[in-house]
Amino acid sequence: IEADFYSIQCSDWVNIVPITDDGKIILVEQFRHGIQDITFEVPGGIIAKGKTPLEAALDELEEETGHSSAEFHSLGAFHPNPAIQTNLAHLFLAKNCRPAGGQRLDELEDIEIHTVPINEIGKWVDDGRVSHCLSLAALYQVRNRFPEIGI
């Protein structure tokens, strides 16, 4: 059968589940044009040319949240939507995050930071406040690979 198929050529992405040294998950709040609404998500972004996924994770954490971590753990990589997209999303856990001098947002970013106690993140997922699939996948991977964290 012949048919037209379309794919979107996307850069690879990175998403980070940042956990502060006092046991809270850092979420970013931002407007998303696709749904014309505000979302709560884990920080992340496009991996710039020449950067490794880990380097991009370090950069995105600091840029979007103003926090840094010396303890990153890979949570693997997956295809966000292989039916139409060409890219991978690389997931990381960043433990013991601490303030590192404030956000460094891009000119098109308008991001507010929220710190959510780990024992409340399930409520945020259940009531739909966290609905971004990349954030959900990252949180699931932390719960799956690091059960001692208690997500």
Side-chain angles (χ1 to χ4, degrees):
I1 298 174
E2 287 190 32
D4 291 328
F5 293 92
Y6 300 93
S7 64
I8 301 169
Q9 306 296 312
C10 296
S11 298
D12 286 354
W13 302 326
V14 64
N15 289 88
I16 310 100
V17 176
I19 300 179
T20 62
D21 56 0
D22 64 349
K24 295 179 180 166
I25 294 177
I26 303 169
L27 296 178
V28 295
E29 175 186 352
Q30 58 188 322
F31 182 82
R32 291 299 193 180
H33 293 276
I35 61 170
Q36 293 292 298
D37 204 357
I38 300 291
T39 64
F40 295 94
E41 345 174 331
V42 299
I46 292 172
I47 300 173
K49 213 171 232 179
K51 296 253 181 173
T52 67
L54 178 57
E55 290 169 335
L58 290 160
D59 289 347
E60 290 294 336
L61 177 63
E62 288 190 19
E63 290 170 10
E64 291 191 357
T65 72
H67 287 72
S68 65
S69 170
E71 190 177 349
F72 273 76
H73 301 272
S74 175
L75 300 171
F78 67 95
H79 296 99
N81 188 353
I84 60 171
Q85 292 173 212
T86 61
N87 63 325
L88 286 172
H90 299 264
L91 307 178
F92 290 90
L93 167 64
K95 289 182 166 182
N96 298 310
C97 294
R98 295 186 176 171
Q103 294 172 297
R104 296 187 323 271
L105 300 175
D106 295 337
E107 64 182 17
L108 297 176
E109 290 179 316
D110 183 14
I111 294 174
E112 286 189 43
I113 299 167
H114 297 268
T115 55
V116 181
I118 288 172
N119 64 351
E120 291 182 21
I121 198 68
K123 293 177 196 169
W124 285 57
V125 170
D126 290 345
D127 68 18
R129 279 180 280 180
V130 177
S131 64
H132 191 298
C133 70
L134 298 175
S135 295
L136 295 172
L139 291 167
Y140 171 81
Q141 286 295 81
V142 171
R143 187 181 79 186
N144 187 42
R145 294 184 183 199
F146 295 86
E148 69 277 7
I149 290 176
I151 289 181

